[in-house]
Amino acid sequence: MDWQGQKLAEQIMQILLLAFAVVSFVAGYVLGSFQMMMLVYAGGVTLIALITVPNWPFYNRHPLNWLDPSEAEKHPRPQVAVSSKKKATKK
């Protein structure tokens, strides 16, 4: 799953959780059943997990291009410059 796919999965999850919370509350209120409300919400959470958790192909639309290992050996990592100068203190 690429970065855009993770963002999409997060957005889908948040929107659907909110939608199922509203639908389950309305269903429970209309039917007067707390159990029905919880069953509708649990079914929604299960459905959302099936949509967002697996690595579906539409989450991989923007794959990352990794550097080839042989190419990485040709280009060494940049060295961090360490300054040995210390601030002078006044006595």
Side-chain angles (χ1 to χ4, degrees):
M1 186 181 293
D2 57 33
W3 295 107
Q4 286 85 3
Q6 288 179 5
K7 182 178 179 181
L8 177 63
E10 178 75 19
Q11 289 173 342
I12 290 171
M13 182 199 64
Q14 288 179 357
I15 291 168
L16 289 179
L17 277 176
L18 181 63
F20 271 105
V22 170
V23 168
S24 66
F25 178 77
V26 170
Y29 186 78
V30 169
L31 297 173
S33 172
F34 183 77
Q35 182 181 9
M36 183 56 70
M37 179 185 76
M38 293 305 292
L39 287 174
V40 170
Y41 189 69
V45 169
T46 304
L47 179 66
I48 293 166
L50 290 174
I51 293 171
T52 58
V53 172
N55 191 13
W56 297 106
F58 62 90
Y59 292 135
N60 291 317
R61 291 184 183 162
H62 308 283
L64 297 174
N65 295 324
W66 293 91
L67 186 62
D68 186 54
S70 62
E71 230 7 77
E73 292 173 359
K74 294 178 186 176
H75 304 286
R77 291 183 177 177
Q79 299 297 321
V80 178
V82 178
S83 64
S84 61
K85 295 181 182 179
K86 293 183 179 178
K87 292 184 179 180
T89 59
K90 293 184 181 180
K91 290 186 178 184

